[in-house]
Amino acid sequence: MSARYDFETLKTDVAEGRIDTVLAVQVDMQGRLMGKRFHAQYFIDSAWHETHSCNYLLATDIEMETVPGYKATSWEAGYGDYTMKPDLSTLRRIPWLEGTAMVICDVLDHHTHEEVPHSPRAILKKQVKRLEAMGLKAYMATELEFFLFDQTYDDARESGYRDLRLCSGYNEDYHIFQTSKEEDVMRAIRNGLYGAGITVENSKGEASAGQEEINVKYDEAVVTADQHSIVKNGAKEIAWARGKAITFLAKWSNAAAGSSSHIHQSLWSLDGKPMFYDPNGRYGMSKMMEHYVAGLLAHAEEVTYFLAPYINSYKRFVAGTFAPTKAIWSKDNRTAGYRLCGEGLKSIRIECRVGGSDLNPYLALAALLAAGIDGIEKQMPLEDPFTGDAYKAGEIREVPKTLRAATDALNKSELLRSAFGNGVVDHYVRAAEWEQEEYDRKITDWEVARGFERA
């Protein structure tokens, strides 16, 4: 990774004319970066302490429309301010934007200066603190898939998002010659992210025409979520600058594979010992790991909304497409929702394959940690691993098939209401209900004819 970029280095870069703009950003409910562009001198003189944003930023839908029904904010309450508190440990240069640095902000109540409980970053930090009280820390990684199009965002919008031109014409999974044709974009993404202080492992072609994957080294949970959000934003900006477009839709076309965000998870002691590893345990798994995985399975239905937050997300769960339909665990088996990786090694971990590329990383990681912690605290026993083709396994524990089903499970979840708070769960239940209401109002005959039937 490139050298850490700190506040003193920023001051030097501003004084010597290398940086003139600082992006102060927060993460919204959809996982997007929202915020302001500061003149760099003003940022280092004043705004590094705090700035402000409208509190509707944690109460909009994916089209940035204000949504009725939230207790946290509304037209009746006047849509007041949140305080954005820069976390200077996240400060970094953004090489693909000229003269620009970025910092991620925590979102605070304007009056109390306490973290807003339904802020995605606050939700994840709360679960991290629970682990710290147990003497543990989570290391996690999020693989991220997307489709690359050989046209601009404007062209795609003006066409009504029909007849889009992919950057390639055939399956390019691990295909070096095909990905060489896209290297102008993918090399810029890898190098740009590396220059922003993110340890990029690799990129590769994925399982459909035009599908790419970018992988970033595992890190502590909050760092991983921060980097995930920056990767998505950066990839889109870099593609845009080259006249290309990217989508992180979980299922952009019924004729193509879905795009996932597989989440790898392991727990470590605060002094760096791998707590999931036991050379004498089953497959090298410690009892703690078994309990954690059992918690993931026990609460798989409840956490699905945070892994698949939109109507479109559920179009991805199709047998034979490497997207799971069963919430079961298995050894190194890509047909299962949860896959054991690194059997017998200190790097042993569990991979959740349920999440799509449209997830909010903070919410997804927080929900998985809450489920795993519950398994540890209750010492849940782990069932035997599934073997064979999980798509043909019959009606064993299934991933919810619709947003409605996932929302209902979230709403009834005693686990998440305890871990996140009732107000937080109610906030995201409202977000899910609005997504469904908007879909029911706006679905078109064109979509129905192509399999996007009412869910």
Side-chain angles (χ1 to χ4, degrees):
M1 186 171 72
S2 58
R4 178 180 173 85
Y5 194 75
D6 59 24
F7 194 49
E8 293 304 313
T9 306
L10 173 66
K11 290 179 180 178
T12 300
D13 281 349
V14 173
E16 296 180 1
R18 289 185 290 273
I19 295 292
D20 56 57
T21 300
V22 177
L23 288 166
V25 301
Q26 67 182 74
V27 178
D28 73 357
M29 294 165 63
Q30 292 76 25
R32 300 171 296 191
L33 302 185
M34 301 288 165
K36 304 176 181 179
R37 282 178 157 84
F38 281 95
H39 191 284
Q41 188 61 53
Y42 184 81
F43 181 84
I44 62 176
D45 288 344
S46 177
W48 70 272
H49 290 288
E50 66 178 40
T51 184
H52 300 87
S53 66
C54 179
N55 64 19
Y56 97 117
L57 289 176
L58 292 179
T60 66
D61 64 12
I62 203 160
E63 298 293 338
M64 293 294 294
E65 295 292 336
T66 50
V67 174
Y70 286 111
K71 293 182 179 179
T73 187
S74 64
W75 287 113
E76 289 76 16
Y79 285 114
D81 272 356
Y82 284 143
T83 297
M84 296 170 61
K85 180 70 174 176
D87 179 350
L88 294 180
S89 71
T90 70
L91 188 66
R92 66 194 68 231
R93 289 183 62 252
I94 301 298
W96 59 89
L97 297 177
E98 184 177 359
T100 300
M102 176 191 289
V103 67
I104 295 176
C105 302
D106 288 312
V107 184
L108 312 182
D109 183 278
H110 184 57
H111 303 287
T112 67
H113 269 57
E114 297 294 325
E115 287 198 69
V116 173
H118 55 274
S119 162
R121 204 164 189 258
I123 293 171
L124 178 55
K125 288 169 67 178
K126 183 176 181 180
Q127 301 313 302
V128 168
K129 288 178 182 177
R130 291 180 66 198
L131 282 175
E132 289 175 351
M134 300 166 67
L136 301 168
K137 66 171 66 175
Y139 278 86
M140 308 180 89
T142 56
E143 303 175 33
L144 194 51
E145 298 170 0
F146 57 90
F147 280 84
L148 177 64
F149 296 93
D150 190 22
Q151 64 193 112
T152 68
Y153 288 104
D154 288 340
D155 287 344
R157 184 178 63 253
E158 289 168 5
S159 73
Y161 302 103
R162 284 143 168 87
D163 302 317
L164 300 180
R165 299 191 309 274
L166 290 164
C167 65
S168 65
Y170 54 88
N171 185 322
E172 58 185 88
D173 201 13
Y174 293 94
H175 200 300
I176 295 301
F177 176 48
Q178 180 57 46
T179 52
S180 292
K181 303 173 190 177
E182 301 141 18
E183 182 66 346
D184 62 326
V185 176
M186 297 308 298
R187 178 172 180 262
I189 290 173
R190 291 193 309 272
N191 289 338
L193 295 172
Y194 184 86
I198 295 173
T199 303
V200 177
E201 291 186 353
N202 58 66
S203 64
K204 60 179 283 291
E206 253 301 319
S208 276
Q211 193 175 26
E212 315 283 350
E213 179 179 305
I214 189 84
N215 291 302
V216 171
K217 187 176 184 292
Y218 71 89
D219 212 317
E220 295 183 31
V222 175
V223 175
T224 289
D226 289 343
Q227 293 185 154
H228 180 114
S229 295
I230 294 167
V231 168
K232 288 182 77 170
N233 190 76
K236 289 186 285 188
E237 289 179 336
I238 291 166
W240 167 82
R242 285 160 176 75
K244 311 290 185 181
I246 280 173
T247 184
F248 289 98
L249 272 172
K251 189 75 169 179
W252 90 272
S253 168
N254 278 345
S259 289
S260 65
S261 181
H262 302 151
I263 300 174
H264 295 254
Q265 308 154 68
S266 61
L267 298 182
W268 296 66
S269 68
L270 298 179
D271 60 356
K273 296 177 182 176
M275 301 303 290
F276 273 9
Y277 175 62
D278 180 352
N280 299 314
R282 179 169 54 160
Y283 314 123
M285 301 169 69
S286 69
K287 286 298 181 183
M288 178 179 287
M289 183 177 187
E290 290 202 8
H291 297 326
Y292 183 96
V293 176
L296 295 181
L297 298 178
H299 300 294
E301 186 178 15
E302 300 159 65
V303 305
T304 296
Y305 168 74
F306 292 117
L307 299 167
Y310 307 108
I311 294 285
N312 177 267
S313 308
Y314 295 83
K315 307 303 178 184
R316 177 175 152 263
F317 300 130
V318 177
T321 64
F322 291 98
T325 59
K326 304 294 192 300
I328 55 178
W329 82 283
S330 191
K331 287 197 307 169
D332 198 17
N333 181 343
R334 285 180 168 86
T335 70
Y338 294 83
R339 179 173 75 119
L340 178 69
C341 302
E343 177 185 349
L345 304 173
K346 289 183 179 181
S347 60
I348 193 168
R349 61 200 183 276
I350 194 72
E351 175 195 29
C352 173
R353 298 179 58 80
V354 178
S357 57
D358 53 353
L359 60 74
N360 180 320
Y362 302 88
L363 302 178
L365 270 55
L368 292 171
L369 289 176
I373 289 171
D374 194 56
I376 293 171
E377 290 180 337
K378 294 178 179 175
Q379 297 188 12
M380 293 181 183
L382 180 62
E383 63 198 48
D384 290 334
F386 176 84
T387 59
D389 183 350
Y391 295 123
K392 299 178 180 179
E395 294 185 5
I396 56 176
R397 191 188 303 109
E398 295 187 334
V399 175
K401 293 182 171 66
T402 66
L403 178 62
R404 280 193 176 95
T407 304
D408 185 59
L410 170 62
N411 193 28
K412 295 175 179 176
S413 175
E414 295 180 7
L415 166 79
L416 293 176
R417 288 189 175 277
S418 174
F420 292 178
N422 284 326
V424 171
V425 171
D426 289 343
H427 192 86
Y428 285 93
V429 166
R430 179 58 193 139
E433 290 172 343
W434 177 258
E435 166 78 5
Q436 187 73 60
E437 291 166 15
E438 285 291 276
Y439 179 83
D440 289 342
R441 278 193 290 269
K442 295 181 178 179
I443 188 169
T444 66
D445 291 340
W446 183 89
E447 290 165 319
V448 171
R450 285 157 180 79
F452 290 90
E453 66 281 349
R454 295 190 184 280

